């Protein structure tokens, strides 16, 4: 299995704003009082378009789908939470914590993917778990090490342990389960998505080990990464607050690898960390300030990787 892909799906926002339903446990969201909703959405669209152009300029295949006005989906710019695409031809649909995020699931999007030349074999649908208030939010909750058949998950109100284990059984992956925390008003609270505190690339991993409060769990996670030959690049909780954990490695033209992140993530890194990353691949960063502030998510959340087989099998 490949760890990186050349194709990503992105949803262009139409009514982007701070989602009041997700703010209850996403402590990265902020209210921008001085901006009207129209201005917030306009600025988010500008950031989105510039980001897509930057990705395309290095040969990354970006499938852009326009969001619709109805239903109201303020977080639609983060599709990686409700859908994932696999080399087996499987498409996975995930149960979402916020009720208005469940409305992001769109069947017409699968038609768009097929029209782009990809084959869908089967749809794995875990969404009925929502009826029992059980959630697992896609590659926000689950960090996949596809090459080593491992899946990492920091448990939270949006990442249920039993459902995660079921996912791992269905996809024949070994589960690596732990808890990750951040400090909110001097209290340790669960980090809502694993992908804000760690990123797994082909030959390295970026992780905030300090978020894993339990020493044995921390050791276990780091040993898993090391045993698979990953160079571990540690980041701080302060860097996590700047979305330095929310990165994704993708492939551009000529199979060249890029680590994609936001400007705020890049600017929070030390020279030493940048040097370590650049030993493995180039860094690509874009300004996502409004999307990060209101959405509480960053570059990685905006990209749903497409690993499906192509119709004209390579």
């Amino acid at each position: 299995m490949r760890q990186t892909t050349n194709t990503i799906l992105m949803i262009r926002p139409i009514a982007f704003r701070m989602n009041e339903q997700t703010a209850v446990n996403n402590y990265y969201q902020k209210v921008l009082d001085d901006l009207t909703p129209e201005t917030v959405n306009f600025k988010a669209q500008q950031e989105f378009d510039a980001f897509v152009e930057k990705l395309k300029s290095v040969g990354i295949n970006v499938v852009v789908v326009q969001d619709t006005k109805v239903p109201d989906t303020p977080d639609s710019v983060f599709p990686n939470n409700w859908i994932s695409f696999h080399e087996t031809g499987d498409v996975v649909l995930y149960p979402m914590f916020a009720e208005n995020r469940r409305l992001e699931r769109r069947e017409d999007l699968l038609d768009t993917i097929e029209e782009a030349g990809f084959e869908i074999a089967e749809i794995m649908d875990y969404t009925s778990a929502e009826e029992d208030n059980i959630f697992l939010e896609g590659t926000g909750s689950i960090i996949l090490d596809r090459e080593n058949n491992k899946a990492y998950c920091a448990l939270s109100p949006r990442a249920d342990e039993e459902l995660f284990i079921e996912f791992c059984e269905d996809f024949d992956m070994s589960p690596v389960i732990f808890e990750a925390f951040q400090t909110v008003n001097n209290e340790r609270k669960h980090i809502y998505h694993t992908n804000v505190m760690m990123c797994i690339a082909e030959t390295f991993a970026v992780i905030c080990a300090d978020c894993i409060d339990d020493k044995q769990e921390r050791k276990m996670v780091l040993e898993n990464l090391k045993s698979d030959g990953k160079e571990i690049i540690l980041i701080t909780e302060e860097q996590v607050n700047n979305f330095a954990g929310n990165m994704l490695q993708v492939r551009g033209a000529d199979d060249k690898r890029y680590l994609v992140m936001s400007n705020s993530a890049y600017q929070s890194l030390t020279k030493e960390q940048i040097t370590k990353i650049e030993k493995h691949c180039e860094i690509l960063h874009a300004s996502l300030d409004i999307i990060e502030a209101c959405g509480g998510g960053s570059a990685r959340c905006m990209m749903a990787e497409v690993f499906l087989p192509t119709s004209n099998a390579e």
Side-chain angles (χ1 to χ4, degrees), residues 3-4 145 147 199-206 230 249 259 281:
Q3 181 62 16
T4 55
D145 184 345
E147 290 177 312
C199 151
I200 296 180
E202 289 172 336
T203 50
F204 65 100
V206 176
K230 308 279 185 203
Q249 191 181 38
L259 188 66
C281 65

Side-chain angles (χ1 to χ4, degrees), residues 19 21-22 75 96-103 135 137:
N19 185 353
Q21 293 187 16
T22 54
D75 274 333
M96 303 291 288
F97 169 81
E99 287 183 25
N100 64 2
R101 292 216 61 190
R102 299 169 195 175
L103 304 170
F135 313 108
E137 297 195 333

Side-chain angles (χ1 to χ4, degrees), residues 28-312:
Y28 299 99
Q29 289 172 250
K30 299 179 184 75
V31 180
L32 300 180
D33 288 326
D34 50 339
L35 298 179
T36 65
E38 293 75 21
T39 307
V40 167
N41 183 62
F42 176 70
K43 286 181 178 288
Q45 286 177 332
Q46 285 183 312
E47 289 178 350
F48 179 92
D49 294 341
F51 186 25
V52 169
E53 278 314 303
K54 203 161 241 192
L55 293 168
K56 286 181 170 176
S57 71
V58 296
I60 296 162
N61 179 26
V62 187
V63 179
V64 176
V65 174
Q66 295 285 340
D67 191 17
T68 52
K69 278 270 192 202
V70 179
D72 175 35
T73 49
D75 274 333
S76 61
V77 75
F78 304 131
N80 82 308
N81 300 140
W82 67 265
I83 194 164
S84 64
F85 306 94
H86 302 260
E87 274 188 67
T88 48
D90 292 314
V91 172
V92 185
L93 303 178
Y94 297 91
M96 303 291 288
F97 169 81
E99 287 183 25
N100 64 2
R101 292 216 61 190
R102 299 169 195 175
L103 304 170
E104 292 173 34
R105 296 192 288 256
R106 295 168 50 176
E107 280 187 34
D108 64 311
L109 196 131
L110 300 179
D111 299 334
T112 306
I113 290 292
E114 287 182 318
E115 283 159 19
F118 294 94
E119 285 187 351
I120 295 170
E122 195 179 342
I123 293 172
M124 305 277 288
D125 190 342
Y126 296 105
T127 60
S128 62
E130 287 166 354
E131 294 161 26
D132 300 314
N133 285 325
I134 288 171
F135 313 108
L136 187 67
E137 297 195 333
T139 52
S141 298
I142 306 167
I143 308 290
L144 296 169
D145 184 345
R146 290 175 165 86
E147 290 177 312
N148 297 295
N149 290 331
K150 281 183 189 171
Y152 293 74
C153 181
L155 303 178
S156 80
R158 305 201 200 176
D160 178 79
E161 183 168 11
E162 283 180 28
L163 188 56
F164 172 60
I165 289 168
E166 186 184 326
F167 168 89
C168 289
E169 286 170 355
D170 289 343
F171 283 90
D172 202 19
M173 297 191 111
S174 304
V176 182
I177 300 167
F178 57 100
E179 288 182 288
F181 298 88
Q182 66 187 120
T183 301
V184 183
N185 300 327
N186 297 320
E187 266 186 82
R188 293 298 270 172
K189 303 249 189 183
H190 281 103
I191 284 181
Y192 79 110
H193 279 161
T194 318
N195 77 1
V196 295
M197 52 74 66
M198 75 181 288
C199 151
I200 296 180
E202 289 172 336
T203 50
F204 65 100
V206 176
I207 181 169
C208 179
D210 292 344
C211 289
I212 307 173
D213 289 357
D214 183 291
K215 287 192 178 69
Q216 276 178 302
E217 284 187 355
R218 186 187 314 155
K219 188 172 176 225
M220 177 269 299
V221 170
L222 294 174
E223 281 178 356
N224 265 284
L225 294 167
K226 279 181 195 149
S227 69
D228 294 323
K230 308 279 185 203
E231 179 182 1
I232 292 171
I233 299 169
L234 294 172
I235 55 173
T236 64
E237 288 191 46
E238 183 52 40
Q239 289 172 321
V240 169
N241 291 335
N242 287 290
F243 295 101
N246 199 242
M247 307 164 162
L248 181 67
Q249 191 181 38
V250 292
R251 281 196 260 180
D254 304 321
D255 255 4
K256 192 171 171 183
R257 271 51 165 184
Y258 295 89
L259 188 66
V260 182
M261 65 187 75
S262 70
N263 282 356
S264 64
Y266 181 76
Q267 285 156 9
S268 77
L269 296 174
T270 64
K271 283 196 176 71
E272 188 188 2
Q273 288 166 325
I274 290 169
T275 303
K276 281 182 179 174
I277 291 167
E278 287 179 337
K279 275 194 321 207
H280 299 272
C281 65
E282 233 179 86
I283 292 174
L284 193 74
H285 54 96
S287 172
L288 301 171
D289 293 352
I290 292 285
I291 289 172
E292 288 177 332
C294 297
S298 188
R300 197 278 166 263
C301 306
M302 295 170 67
M303 299 181 281
E305 304 151 277
V306 182
F307 283 93
L308 297 169
T310 50
S311 315
N312 53 349

